Amino acid sequence: MRKILIIGGGYAGFYAAWKLEKKLRRGQVDVTVVDPRPYMTYQPFLPEVVAGSIEARHAAVSLRRHLHRTRVVAGMVTAIDHEHRVVTVRPADGDAFELGYDLVVVTAGAVTRKFPVPGVAEQAIGLKHVEEAVAIRDRLLTSFDRAATLPPGSQRQKLLTVTVVGGGFSGVEGFAELLSLATSLLRRYPELDRGELRFHLVEASARILPEVTGPPGRWVVRFLRRRGGQVHLNTRIESATGGRVVLSTGEQFDSELIVWTTGNAANPVVGKHTDLPVDERGFLVVRPDLRVGTDREPVPDAWAAGDAAGIEDLTAPVPGTRTVPNAQHAVRQGKLLARNIAATLRGGRPKEYRHRSLGAVAVLGIGHGIFQYRRLVLKGPLAWLIHRGYHVLAIPTWERKVRVLAIWLTAGLFGRDIVSLASVQQPRTAFVTGGEPPESSLPDWRKP
């Protein structure tokens, strides 16, 4: 059997393995997926996880549950030595080890792009993984509980101030869902006033949502401002030390929650620790048929797809344009990877990747959204329904579709779940303290 090694269990990696199982007979190939997480994250649902509209586990698809004939290795690939057909894997426990292969599929994805802004590494939370979405939600809910016990003032204002950096889809949807959640929470917190909420969306360019055209993007800015959000365009964040946000415009404010969504950067394993060809940005050089290399210099037994791969968009009007790093492309590239690999193993020829965009859709809170397909633009509840309809069909496996639909129906009847489980990040605290209050909180007559 030929050994196929898939690096990364995200969209492209999961779909490549899933479809290879369907297209190749048992015993024909030995497929292994290596990923530090045992699941595929369905990232379009993360803003709804932030808002409590979807249960966190339902935005993740278990690799072991759905990949029945694929070996799943929990670990991070730290180096790819294609010349010797081996990768180095670092597991969570134990020593690093090597895995050999005959054919490699690189679907490692990208990482969140960061800038050397003081305080960001210590204060900000990304929005690329389920754990981050849960932490953001719990941080907001806990801030409301803490603020409700404080008198008006700077400390209370900091707890009720949220900053989202980045005006792409993740940033705008996360910002809108957080704002919608916070607004709805005020009904449960009579101690707080809507005028105390401060929500800031910071974008370095002159517009948000670059995947949509100018007028719809400007409409989203107006919509967010009407809802009480403050949108800062042509603005950079200069510092976030201690939660004190300093903008390039000179404005300053304290923010308890800072969410960082400034786009994707090259995966360092792909960009720095492989002998496969990479471009000037650190992305793999990939042919339209998803094989690594160029037409003149193909790399045998190496394939790639997803955010780590620089793949030309053959449907774009401008030659040399690369596919946008989003779920639409990653899912379809993963499926085509499986078909092309199966075809070449049978002596056939791989097909080139071509996919015209199905449009852009963003959710802006319950009952609100925007959808654009070419010149067609839809706003409000209809766009929101299109978003939900498309993504419940797109998330893999019927098991996940049913679970997501059930949660949506439940939320429609009873509203969002507003329970914060921030304490799960320190699960031993209650056990260690035994419920004993800290000495500093005791009145003088109770202190020893």
Side-chain angles (χ1 to χ4, degrees), residues 220-284:
V220 173
V221 171
R222 293 194 299 270
F223 172 82
L224 294 175
R225 286 172 173 167
R226 287 199 306 270
R227 301 274 290 183
Q230 299 182 45
V231 182
H232 307 266
L233 301 177
N234 294 312
T235 305
R236 299 181 310 277
I237 181 170
E238 302 287 350
S239 173
T241 303
R244 181 69 176 179
V245 175
V246 180
L247 302 181
S248 58
T249 58
E251 185 175 354
Q252 300 184 25
F253 49 85
D254 292 319
S255 181
E256 178 68 15
L257 176 58
I258 302 173
V259 183
W260 192 268
T261 65
T262 55
N264 294 327
N267 192 307
V269 174
V270 173
K272 301 177 183 178
H273 304 290
T274 178
D275 56 353
L276 294 171
V278 296
D279 61 19
E280 67 283 353
R281 302 181 304 157
F283 294 90
L284 285 170

Side-chain angles (χ1 to χ4, degrees), residues 286-298:
V286 182
R287 296 157 38 134
D289 61 6
L290 306 185
R291 288 187 286 189
V292 176
T294 64
D295 291 335
R296 292 184 177 181
E297 297 182 9

